[in-house]
Amino acid sequence: RCETCSKEEAKYRCPRCMKYSCSLLCVKKHKLALSCNGVRDKTAFISVNEFTDLNLLSDYRFLEDVGRTADAAARHCMVHSPATKRLLYCLRNKARGCNIELKTLPVGFTKRRENSTTFNFMENKFYWHLKLVFPHCHAEYTLKGVPDDKTLADILKPYIDPVESDPVVCQRLKIYTASPQSDVRILMKIENRSRNSIRYNELDASRSLLDNLKGKVIIEYPTLFVVLKTLKNDMVVLGQDGSEPAENSDSESSSLSSVEEGEIRDNS
């Protein structure tokens, strides 16, 4: 049966989320409801027991695509532009001065193209390109020009505050706006870890964006995941000392266990 209308016999299956649909209308409805783009996740984990020749061929073609993208990026005229090099050097240098390890990607990558982060020399502060992900609602929002001295609580107010949030956004994120603010947790993925060992740091909503980014590795721009304590998901949060949480711990803060992260690598 179609998993959208539950009436007709299914004819199609989404390559990304594997949902069954019976018609083009139901396909569009499921994409809208789940924020699904319908494109197969080429980087999804596949166990050795399920690995087939088709998966091997898919990986080979994926590596070929990566090679072509990297080659095109290396040939891009902006790569060799002195102004571009000076800008990137300035951003990395200023971030290093704030105890932030900022890494940039080649010009051909999506995150490099869309990144709008700047540094204001007059005010001596960053204006960050920021992405907010609400996994419980399958929603993402991109913010531009976020000052580094703004607290995370103020950044989230237009989205999850029941009074100050936009009515349309409030309706889409109603599971967040209906929950107490004390249940909201803000996580950021720890970079430079293998894909089968993804871990997160919990950020302090009462502190500024700059304070929360200190001591962290950032690839192009920060991506923050907003989750709720009362809902389970599989994002494993490291302790304040960077240690792994105990597997048999009953603590609410040691792990969250039921919503997939949904983040995919861009062009790599």
Side-chain angles (χ1 to χ4, degrees):
R1 292 287 176 179
C2 173
E3 295 184 59
T4 302
C5 66
S6 303
K7 296 178 181 179
E8 302 294 334
E9 182 181 355
K11 298 178 182 179
Y12 313 104
R13 192 176 190 184
C14 178
R16 183 169 187 82
C17 62
M18 299 302 172
K19 293 286 186 181
Y20 286 101
S21 302
C22 64
S23 63
L24 180 60
L25 179 61
C26 285
V27 169
K28 291 181 176 179
K29 283 183 178 179
H30 113 262
K31 285 184 177 181
L32 183 62
L34 301 179
S35 297
C36 175
N37 58 13
V39 179
R40 183 175 62 87
D41 183 4
K42 298 179 182 179
T43 62
F45 175 76
I46 301 176
S47 64
V48 176
N49 296 333
E50 299 174 349
F51 201 82
T52 65
D53 291 341
L54 287 177
N55 298 125
L56 179 62
L57 180 60
S58 175
D59 287 351
Y60 179 76
R61 289 174 175 169
F62 174 68
L63 292 175
E64 283 188 324
D65 291 340
V66 171
R68 282 193 292 269
T69 302
D71 182 64
R75 296 171 182 269
H76 199 287
C77 61
M78 291 297 290
V79 174
H80 308 288
S81 168
T84 300
K85 291 181 178 180
R86 283 196 301 269
L87 174 62
L88 295 180
Y89 175 80
C90 173
L91 288 176
R92 289 193 295 262
N93 192 43
K94 290 296 182 181
R96 194 178 301 114
C98 298
N99 192 25
I100 300 172
E101 187 177 349
L102 177 62
K103 296 186 175 182
T104 55
L105 299 170
V107 175
F109 282 69
T110 302
K111 291 188 74 173
R112 173 89 289 273
R113 290 199 305 268
E114 68 186 12
N115 189 6
S116 61
T117 300
T118 59
F119 185 83
N120 189 308
F121 287 90
M122 297 290 291
E123 300 176 6
N124 194 35
K125 65 181 179 183
F126 277 94
Y127 283 87
W128 288 97
H129 184 104
L130 188 66
K131 180 177 286 188
L132 299 177
V133 180
F134 298 86
H136 302 306
C137 296
H138 304 282
E140 292 185 6
Y141 297 94
T142 299
L143 289 72
K144 296 182 179 181
V146 181
D148 61 14
D149 56 355
K150 194 172 186 178
T151 64
L152 298 188
D154 289 338
I155 293 173
L156 291 179
K157 271 186 180 180
Y159 298 91
I160 63 174
D161 189 277
V163 178
E164 298 187 24
S165 61
D166 180 88
V168 177
V169 176
C170 181
Q171 178 63 25
R172 186 176 185 186
L173 303 180
K174 58 184 176 181
I175 191 172
Y176 289 90
T177 55
S179 302
Q181 294 298 307
S182 57
D183 285 347
V184 176
R185 305 179 73 182
I186 306 173
L187 310 180
M188 189 169 80
K189 190 175 76 168
I190 301 174
E191 302 293 350
N192 298 332
R193 293 182 68 100
S194 59
R195 284 187 62 80
N196 60 352
S197 179
I198 297 176
R199 298 292 182 267
Y200 297 82
N201 280 322
E202 183 172 3
L203 307 183
D204 188 347
S206 64
R207 301 179 66 185
S208 69
L209 178 60
L210 179 63
D211 289 338
N212 278 288
L213 295 182
K214 287 182 177 179
K216 308 289 195 307
V217 177
I218 301 172
I219 298 180
E220 289 293 345
Y221 55 80
T223 299
L224 308 183
F225 296 86
V226 185
V227 299
L228 297 173
K229 292 180 183 178
T230 52
L231 296 180
K232 296 181 179 180
N233 58 61
D234 63 356
M235 298 178 179
V236 181
V237 183
L238 293 189
Q240 295 296 326
D241 56 354
S243 59
E244 296 277 352
E247 292 184 1
N248 58 352
S249 171
D250 294 329
S251 170
E252 195 75 53
S253 62
S254 64
S255 72
L256 300 158
S257 89
S258 91
V259 177
E260 273 295 322
E261 169 196 335
E263 182 189 14
I264 324 168
R265 282 179 293 177
D266 283 328
N267 296 13
S268 62

